[in-house]
Amino acid sequence: MKKMYEFMGKTLVVMAIVLAVVSYMPKTTQAKTVKISRTKVTCTAKETFSLKVKGAGSKKVKWSTTKKSVATVSKKGFVVTKKAGKATIKAKVGSKTVKCNVTVKKSAKQP
């Protein structure tokens, strides 16, 4: 009978340790998919449009452009095209980056 109580006591201690270790393990969650509202835009100079990022949650979105002379982007994703050329607007959320390729064409001359 004494051996049975010792066995049960040891079993309870082991179970308590396992439970404690499991409860402190980091929880793995599936990463949200980060998407940009438009991946390709073709327009003329001096046009504006907005880009939005979905799946960012409460994380901050950092906007940037590869060519400021062609297109600029604000902190909120508002894009202003300047002159003909190509630029890529990037939105970085944590370690993920999504892109929108912008092609600015020469505006047609009006008579």
Side-chain angles (χ1 to χ4, degrees):
M1 190 87 153
K2 186 176 179 182
K3 288 183 181 183
M4 190 168 110
Y5 284 124
E6 284 180 25
F7 177 75
M8 287 176 59
K10 289 178 183 178
T11 304
L12 284 173
V13 169
V14 169
M15 289 175 66
I17 291 171
V18 168
L19 183 62
V21 169
V22 169
S23 66
Y24 286 108
M25 290 176 70
K27 312 279 188 284
T28 56
T29 57
Q30 189 174 6
K32 288 184 179 180
T33 303
V34 177
K35 292 184 179 181
I36 195 163
S37 57
R38 298 166 81 178
T39 57
K40 185 178 179 183
V41 176
T42 302
C43 55
T44 59
K46 298 181 182 165
E47 284 189 42
T48 61
F49 59 92
S50 291
L51 294 173
K52 294 183 179 11
V53 173
K54 294 179 183 177
S58 61
K59 292 184 179 180
K60 186 177 178 181
V61 179
K62 184 177 180 186
W63 294 95
S64 63
T65 179
T66 57
K67 213 164 194 183
K68 289 181 183 178
S69 62
V70 174
T72 59
V73 62
S74 73
K75 291 179 181 179
K76 296 198 176 200
F78 187 73
V79 180
V80 178
T81 59
K82 294 187 167 192
K83 69 174 189 175
K86 291 185 178 187
T88 302
I89 305 297
K90 297 178 182 179
K92 186 171 183 180
V93 180
S95 62
K96 298 185 184 211
T97 302
V98 288
K99 301 174 185 178
C100 175
N101 295 317
V102 179
T103 303
V104 181
K105 296 187 174 190
K106 291 183 181 179
S107 54
K109 294 184 180 180
Q110 295 181 354

